[in-house]
Amino acid sequence: MLDAGASSEKMWVVKSTASAGRSSSNPDLPRLRADLDAYMTKRRLRSTEQRRLIIDTFFDAHEHITIDSLLKQVRAIDSRVGYATVYRTMKLLADSGIVQEHKFGDGFTRYELNDEDHHHDHLICMECGKITEFEEPLIEELQARVAARYDFQVRQHKHELYGVCSDCQKPKKRRP
Amino acid sequence: MLDAGASSEKMWVVKSTASAGRSSSNPDLPRLRADLDAYMTKRRLRSTEQRRLIIDTFFDAHEHITIDSLLKQVRAIDSRVGYATVYRTMKLLADSGIVQEHKFGDGFTRYELNDEDHHHDHLICMECGKITEFEEPLIEELQARVAARYDFQVRQHKHELYGVCSDCQKPKKRRP
DNA sequence: ATTATTGCAAATATTTTGCAATAAC
DNA sequence: GTTATTGCAAAATATTTGCAATAAT
């Protein structure tokens, strides 16, 4: 259940995300859907009602969504969808490469679109659970240099900063 | 069980570590043990035979050790030690701050000494499981700058590169 | 007609916990 | 003597899987 790498204290809960609603305006959606179609056709995977529903729901949902949240949204439309199907569908998306799986340490796997052009990493607030994305090309550059130094071929990486976000550093407002 | 952040393909197994045996020559050991003693005294935690055995074994073992491996070594000396005790003891070490927990994606939590002066991150080979440590102060610096940019107080971080190590890139040798 | 997919329940696998017995202080 | 700790078994928890039924090709 723990996954932050250092402390083993009671884990905070990731409650929200900084990019809620972003995906619905993501200009790469059509391309990603086309990639997915190609992947499914190539592998002779079938387009079922459940998959279409789960995938549509995921594409409309905010990033960093969990299986639980996704299943709830899916079941609001078709209550008979099993959670194994959601797991299997998200795995399919991950295998196709259009989705990334993240484990930010609250015990739930989160999913987001894999935007290869604009790679980003994450700041995770241990107080409120907010997830903020950051891009820092210089870090990527140095990282590549480190890998080269060890003659290591990087296939994926994880760079996550855990701490306290700006909002949570402020003293709590008292109700007047 | 998966934890690498992107693919959901069958997970590699982390088999070994680049720093095997290092800890026994780690010059910071006495300081870390003193820190631990102070922590335990302050919290009125008791020095039991089991804890002493587990802690001694851990300090002598290679870094990135798993609970399983640690328990096996401990039981070679005292076969009656329960695994819950090992879990609880490692949690104690993590809470005290002298140990860091890592999840590199093979389903096992790994433990290493938390060397605050020489912070390092990890390269994890997805083929052979080798874990290599690297230090890159410039990345730490940029990371601090990113955090400052978002007014984010970093408490811990994770920077892991997953890929193929130098050895595993070479074609496999055929037996003559 | 063939074969992928679904949904359910059961299985997995790691870590945690309740509790009575034991040992450290 | 009090209270932390242990060891065991059972629980908790997220994810995976076997399988018969169903649906897509």
Side-chain angles (χ1 to χ4, degrees), chain A residues 2-5 8 95 101 103 133 136 143 149 151 153 155-156 158-160 162-164 166 169, chain B residues 2-5 8 95 101 103 136 143 149-151 153 155-156 158-160 162-164 166 169:
Chain A
L2 281 174
D3 196 14
S8 68
D95 287 343
E101 291 180 336
K103 300 208 172 186
E133 302 172 355
E136 184 45 81
Q143 188 180 271
R149 189 191 305 159
D151 193 15
Q153 270 184 348
R155 283 229 257 266
Q156 56 184 256
K158 204 184 274 201
H159 196 177
E160 295 154 7
Y162 294 83
V164 185
S166 178
Q169 289 169 41
Chain B
L2 280 175
D3 196 11
S8 68
D95 287 342
E101 291 179 336
K103 300 207 173 188
E136 184 44 82
Q143 188 179 271
R149 189 191 305 159
Y150 288 91
D151 193 16
Q153 271 182 349
R155 283 228 259 267
Q156 55 183 260
K158 203 184 273 198
H159 195 176
E160 295 153 7
Y162 294 83
V164 186
S166 179
Q169 288 170 42

Side-chain angles (χ1 to χ4, degrees), chain B:
Chain B
M1 208 195 182
L2 280 175
D3 196 11
S7 159
S8 68
E9 282 167 25
K10 195 120 205 135
M11 184 51 73
W12 59 93
V13 179
V14 177
K15 291 176 200 159
S16 61
T17 168
S19 54
R22 174 160 87 57
S23 62
S24 51
S25 56
N26 186 332
D28 294 324
L29 281 189
R31 178 173 56 75
L32 290 166
R33 296 207 76 127
D35 289 353
L36 178 58
D37 279 356
Y39 178 85
M40 292 185 70
T41 303
K42 193 177 63 187
R43 302 244 173 154
R44 295 210 159 62
L45 301 175
R46 291 173 183 177
S47 173
T48 67
E49 209 177 314
Q50 291 92 329
R51 277 182 183 165
R52 285 191 301 271
L53 174 56
I54 293 164
I55 292 167
D56 285 349
T57 306
F58 171 72
F59 273 78
D60 283 345
H62 68 74
E63 304 275 24
H64 313 128
I65 196 173
T66 61
I67 292 281
D68 268 12
S69 169
L70 184 53
L71 179 61
K72 194 179 287 179
Q73 292 183 46
V74 163
R75 282 196 170 155
I77 296 171
D78 181 347
S79 61
R80 292 164 315 170
V81 175
Y83 65 117
T85 304
V86 179
Y87 271 106
R88 286 189 275 228
T89 302
M90 293 316 289
K91 173 140 299 182
L92 189 164
L93 294 185
D95 287 342
S96 78
I98 73 159
V99 151
Q100 266 189 280
E101 291 179 336
H102 290 290
K103 300 207 173 188
F104 291 132
D106 63 351
F108 300 101
T109 300
R110 285 160 189 279
Y111 298 86
E112 73 173 347
L113 290 168
N114 186 14
D115 191 339
E116 302 195 358
D117 301 330
H118 290 282
H119 178 77
H120 63 258
D121 289 294
H122 300 92
L123 304 168
I124 298 105
C125 179
M126 293 160 85
E127 295 289 336
C128 70
K130 187 168 66 187
I131 300 168
T132 308
E133 301 173 355
F134 71 90
E135 280 183 62
E136 184 44 82
L138 274 70
I139 290 180
E140 309 279 324
E141 161 92 31
L142 284 166
Q143 188 179 271
R145 216 171 290 180
V146 167
R149 189 191 305 159
Y150 288 91
D151 193 16
F152 186 91
Q153 271 182 349
V154 178
R155 283 228 259 267
Q156 55 183 260
H157 79 268
K158 203 184 273 198
H159 195 176
E160 295 153 7
L161 312 191
Y162 294 83
V164 186
C165 75
S166 179
D167 289 346
C168 292
Q169 288 170 42
K170 294 171 189 159
K172 280 168 199 156
K173 265 186 195 160
R174 218 177 283 269
R175 240 165 259 284

Side-chain angles (χ1 to χ4, degrees), chain A residues 26 36 61 76 109 115 134 160:
Chain A
N26 186 331
L36 177 58
T109 301
D115 192 339
F134 71 90
E160 295 154 7

